[in-house]
């Protein structure tokens, strides 16, 4: 795409660790500077951070900013990837060369899977191969969404997911709800693992 500007906001220290407040400040910056898409190849699994991040996600939803975020490689509940207003991504080596799998109403709240393995050509003509990690899957989905927005304009998370459904090689479930892709707790996420049985019963 010709009309794309890439920006990198530093939220982690040299040890690749950071605090939720740094992520919040970065997202607020995106809101104030009319950023269309945020590729977030990081997140938090600490419950104490979830409520602090919730307010900024509501602002982002109102402004139709799309966040694409990686789930923790430990495969546990992660913010922002598991937020209703965010497109969550995790790695699946089966879906190579930019192919994706889309899930409607996933119980782990992560809608898209694609490979994290990529061979990058370096300036010295060497190459670097990434590991099959969620953080390396996320940019694939971000690039696809940038292409969709370039063609059709800025849109909501649900509208983006419907476009991704048309491009996915595998789709699980069907689109049913116009507002939220989750039929449970539309205003408040249920994050406790012990609640999953209750969620499944309600959904069924």
């Amino acid at each position: 795409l010709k009309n794309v500007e890439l920006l990198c906001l530093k939220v982690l220290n040299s040890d690749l660790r950071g605090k939720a407040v740094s992520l919040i400040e970065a997202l607020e910056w995106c809101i104030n500077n009319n950023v269309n898409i945020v590729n977030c190849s990081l997140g938090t699994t600490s419950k104490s951070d979830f409520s602090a991040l919730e307010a900024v996600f509501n602002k982002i939803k109102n402004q139709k900013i799309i966040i694409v975020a990686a789930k923790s490689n430990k495969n546990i509940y992660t913010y922002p990837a598991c937020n209703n207003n965010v497109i969550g991504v995790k790695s699946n080596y089966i879906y190579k060369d930019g192919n994706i799998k889309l899930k409607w109403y996933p119980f782990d709240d992560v809608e898209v899977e694609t490979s994290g393995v990529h061979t990058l050509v370096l300036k010295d003509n060497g190459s670097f191969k990434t590991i099959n990690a969620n953080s390396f899957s996320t940019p694939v989905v971000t690039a696809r969404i940038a292409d969709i927005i370039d063609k059709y304009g800025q849109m909501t998370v649900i509208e983006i997911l419907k476009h991704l459904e048309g491009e996915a090689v595998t789709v699980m479930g069907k689109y049913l709800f116009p507002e939220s892709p989750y039929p449970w707790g539309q205003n408040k996420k249920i994050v406790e693992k012990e609640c999953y049985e209750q969620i499944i019963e309600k959904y069924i």
Side-chain angles (χ1 to χ4, degrees):
L1 303 177
K2 295 180 180 179
N3 57 339
V4 171
E5 181 180 5
L6 297 178
L7 305 169
C8 183
L9 302 183
K10 180 178 171 66
V11 297
L12 301 179
N13 60 25
S14 58
D15 296 323
L16 299 182
R17 300 184 67 83
K19 296 182 178 180
V21 64
S22 298
L23 179 57
I24 291 170
E25 289 174 357
L27 292 172
E28 291 280 5
W29 188 94
C30 292
I31 293 170
N32 295 330
N33 288 274
N34 300 312
V35 171
N36 300 110
I37 310 171
V38 177
N39 179 84
C40 195
S41 295
L42 52 83
T44 176
T45 58
S46 174
K47 293 178 185 177
S48 60
D49 293 334
F50 296 166
S51 58
L53 286 162
E54 193 70 32
V56 72
F57 290 134
N58 289 332
K59 290 183 185 178
I60 282 169
K61 178 183 178 181
N62 293 335
Q63 200 160 317
K64 289 189 177 181
I65 298 172
I66 300 299
I67 300 182
V68 186
K71 187 179 182 181
S72 168
N73 289 310
K74 296 179 181 178
N75 201 31
I76 58 177
Y77 195 94
T78 312
Y79 247 52
C82 296
N83 178 277
N84 277 358
N85 301 318
V86 172
I87 296 176
V89 180
K90 60 184 177 183
S91 181
N92 187 330
Y93 70 91
I94 295 173
Y95 299 95
K96 300 175 182 178
D97 301 320
N99 290 325
I100 65 170
K101 172 184 180 179
L102 177 78
K103 294 190 292 184
W104 287 108
Y105 319 113
F107 287 117
D108 65 352
D109 298 333
V110 175
E111 296 87 358
V112 184
E113 296 180 20
T114 190
S115 178
V117 178
H118 313 288
T119 300
L120 307 177
V121 179
L122 305 179
K123 291 182 179 179
D124 61 1
N125 293 323
S127 64
F128 175 79
K129 191 172 184 178
T130 63
I131 61 174
N132 196 43
N134 296 342
S135 291
F136 296 130
S137 299
T138 309
V140 177
V141 181
T142 301
R144 277 190 168 276
I145 293 172
D147 187 49
I148 291 168
I149 291 175
D150 182 66
K151 290 177 181 176
Y152 305 105
Q154 202 70 20
M155 57 190 74
T156 66
V157 167
I158 294 294
E159 290 168 333
I160 290 288
L161 290 173
K162 289 173 76 174
H163 278 282
L164 288 175
E165 179 182 32
E167 299 180 4
V169 296
T170 303
V171 177
M172 293 183 65
K174 292 182 179 179
Y175 165 72
L176 298 173
F177 301 91
E179 294 297 327
S180 169
Y182 308 97
W184 60 83
Q186 293 190 15
N187 298 318
K188 183 176 178 62
K189 295 293 295 182
I190 300 175
V191 301
E192 300 288 351
K193 286 186 178 180
E194 56 263 34
C195 293
Y196 275 18
E197 183 177 349
Q198 177 184 344
I199 295 170
I200 293 169
E201 287 177 353
K202 183 175 180 181
Y203 179 55
I204 291 172

